[in-house]
Amino acid sequence: MNTFGKLFTVTTYGESHGAAVGGVVDGMPAGIDIDLGFIQAELSRRRPGQSKITTSRNEADQVEILSGVFEGKSTGCPIGFIVRNTNQHSQDYENMRCTFRPSHADYTYQTKYGIRDHRGGGRTSARITIGRCVAGALAKLALKQLGISVQAYTSQVGDICLERDYKKYDLSITETNAVRCPDPEKAAQMEALISKVKEQGDTIGGVITCVIKGCPVGLGEPEFDKLHAVLGHAMLSINAVKGFEYGEGFVGVNQRGSQQNDVFTTDANGNICTKTNHSGGIQGGLSNGEDIYFRVAFKPVATILMEQDTVDMEGNATVLKARGRHDPCVLPRAVPIVEAMAAAVILDAYLMDNAKKTHPRPLP
């Protein structure tokens, strides 16, 4: 439905051209320092109009916390929040009121519900991910106290791609360019490609890679809620996502077990670890203490500023040319969304694991 998570949950509400969007986070541990500046900064990473290669919709995306925080700390009660919509151009969508946009949710929503909000996609708009970003920021604040970090970056746009090994890059420079790519040279090429595609009125897709460091051993459940399965669920619920792989993923099928197996050893402190990490930090559905890394594929944005053949609600053939302000590539603004959902999954898994222990390990 509209809620994600088991113990740490986020429920989102709102439409792209409605009065506001927002959500309710439940299960946030009490006593966590709530840095409103950090939460706002996370939203600003997602906000429209931040560069020449994103949509020109101008929204401040100012978040207002309504409950669950007192004197700068979480109280353990539900955290309600709201972000007002202030820069809608609903008239840009009037020609789509009775027309189905190719590769959008117009037809499926109209058929399922018998009604839809044609303005900017309504509930299906990527603007609804604001709720995810706020929840993810809260989760990051809790995970920070556990020494767990979540870092995503753009690793491919079109046919321009980085090497798969994230360790070859300085991820700390990801935010230094508009594409959010830790390779400055490739970032410039990606930005040039996105700009070219935008000038043509077209769109392009790519891949985001995410790395989670500091997870303890044992997060996840042994059967249907395996950690990688929940991460896959979270990522595939993001707008425009078409694929998910963790560890070596599909590349690993070309190798043999003798090449893929992660051999156990001990580190300088005598702790058990693995010599390699083809498993992506997850074995048997549970975290094994190594870095968790995965890749998320995003399709080209469905709204293109070119004429397309389609049909209206009566099935009559027609031609549609979209108007308005749209992203030529969703990757740069999707990086914080991927991080947010990953953080929510890991905090939820931590709380689930803790709930089963005779002597729980509380947040510091």
Side-chain angles (χ1 to χ4, degrees):
M1 298 294 288
N2 298 293
T3 300
F4 182 84
K6 295 289 183 63
L7 295 183
F8 178 83
T9 68
V10 54
T11 302
T12 66
Y13 67 83
E15 293 81 33
S16 176
H17 286 234
V21 295
V24 177
V25 168
D26 203 359
M28 181 71 175
I32 303 297
D33 291 328
I34 303 300
D35 185 343
L36 293 179
F38 173 76
I39 296 173
Q40 189 60 56
E42 290 293 277
L43 270 186
S44 294
R45 295 172 67 209
R46 194 224 69 95
R47 71 179 290 271
Q50 59 185 277
S51 75
K52 64 181 182 180
I53 58 172
T54 63
T55 172
S56 60
R57 178 169 175 169
N58 186 19
E59 294 275 8
D61 285 354
Q62 190 70 39
V63 64
E64 179 184 354
I65 303 296
L66 304 176
S67 63
V69 178
F70 180 67
E71 295 184 342
K73 292 185 180 293
S74 58
T75 64
C77 298
I79 299 177
F81 57 90
I82 187 171
V83 174
R84 308 283 180 179
N85 292 329
T86 62
N87 192 236
Q88 309 100 310
H89 287 182
S90 299
Q91 66 276 8
D92 289 341
Y93 298 88
E94 192 57 34
N95 66 327
M96 304 176 189
R97 178 183 289 272
C98 299
T99 305
F100 295 137
R101 295 171 297 171
S103 286
H104 273 277
D106 297 346
Y107 170 69
T108 51
Y109 264 60
Q110 185 69 44
T111 301
K112 180 178 178 65
Y113 298 108
I115 187 173
R116 66 183 172 91
D117 185 345
H118 66 282
R119 304 166 303 167
R123 184 68 177 158
T124 69
S125 169
R127 186 154 181 77
I128 310 306
T129 58
I130 282 176
R132 299 169 183 242
C133 284
V134 174
L138 291 167
K140 281 185 177 183
L141 291 173
L143 293 177
K144 182 179 180 181
Q145 296 191 203
L146 298 170
I148 300 173
S149 66
V150 181
Q151 171 78 66
Y153 61 93
T154 299
S155 54
Q156 181 173 345
V157 172
D159 60 357
I160 302 171
C161 58
L162 275 58
E163 294 187 43
R164 290 176 63 91
D165 186 359
Y166 64 90
K167 293 181 180 179
K168 294 184 177 181
Y169 301 97
D170 179 5
L171 303 189
S172 68
I173 66 172
T174 297
E175 295 293 317
T176 60
N177 56 74
V179 188
R180 295 197 163 93
C181 171
D183 182 322
E185 183 177 342
K186 287 291 180 68
Q189 295 175 19
M190 291 175 179
E191 184 169 352
L193 176 58
I194 295 172
S195 295
K196 179 180 178 181
V197 168
K198 181 179 180 180
E199 289 174 1
Q200 297 170 341
D202 215 336
T203 61
I204 195 164
V207 175
I208 289 175
T209 298
C210 187
V211 183
I212 305 171
K213 294 178 175 289
C215 276
V217 178
L219 299 190
E221 301 299 320
E223 184 59 15
F224 298 110
D225 287 331
K226 292 178 172 67
L227 188 58
H228 58 271
V230 182
L231 282 169
H233 176 193
M235 298 306 137
L236 289 166
S237 73
I238 299 172
N239 308 55
V241 170
K242 302 296 284 185
F244 169 84
E245 63 174 359
Y246 74 102
E248 290 295 314
F250 288 101
V251 172
V253 304
N254 298 322
Q255 298 182 329
R256 302 191 179 188
S258 56
Q259 298 171 296
Q260 276 283 299
N261 285 350
D262 294 317
V263 176
F264 287 105
T265 185
T266 55
D267 61 20
N269 298 317
N271 299 312
I272 294 177
C273 60
T274 58
K275 289 185 177 180
T276 55
N277 190 18
H278 301 298
S279 301
I282 302 173
Q283 293 172 327
L286 310 178
S287 59
N288 68 357
E290 304 297 324
D291 291 351
I292 296 171
Y293 63 95
F294 58 85
R295 290 158 49 89
V296 186
F298 286 79
K299 71 173 183 176
V301 178
T303 299
I304 60 176
L305 302 181
M306 305 167 68
E307 289 190 349
Q308 297 183 88
D309 293 330
T310 186
V311 298
D312 62 22
M313 292 172 60
E314 303 300 323
N316 301 310
T318 185
V319 175
L320 172 70
K321 183 174 182 180
R323 299 192 295 264
R325 304 157 298 175
H326 307 281
D327 285 289
C329 178
V330 75
L331 275 295
R333 294 177 60 208
V335 167
I337 303 169
V338 168
E339 289 181 2
M341 292 305 293
V345 168
I346 297 302
L347 179 57
D348 195 31
Y350 180 89
L351 295 175
M352 290 283 289
D353 185 57
N354 218 26
K356 296 181 177 181
K357 296 184 180 298
T358 303
H359 301 289
R361 45 189 180 195
L363 289 167

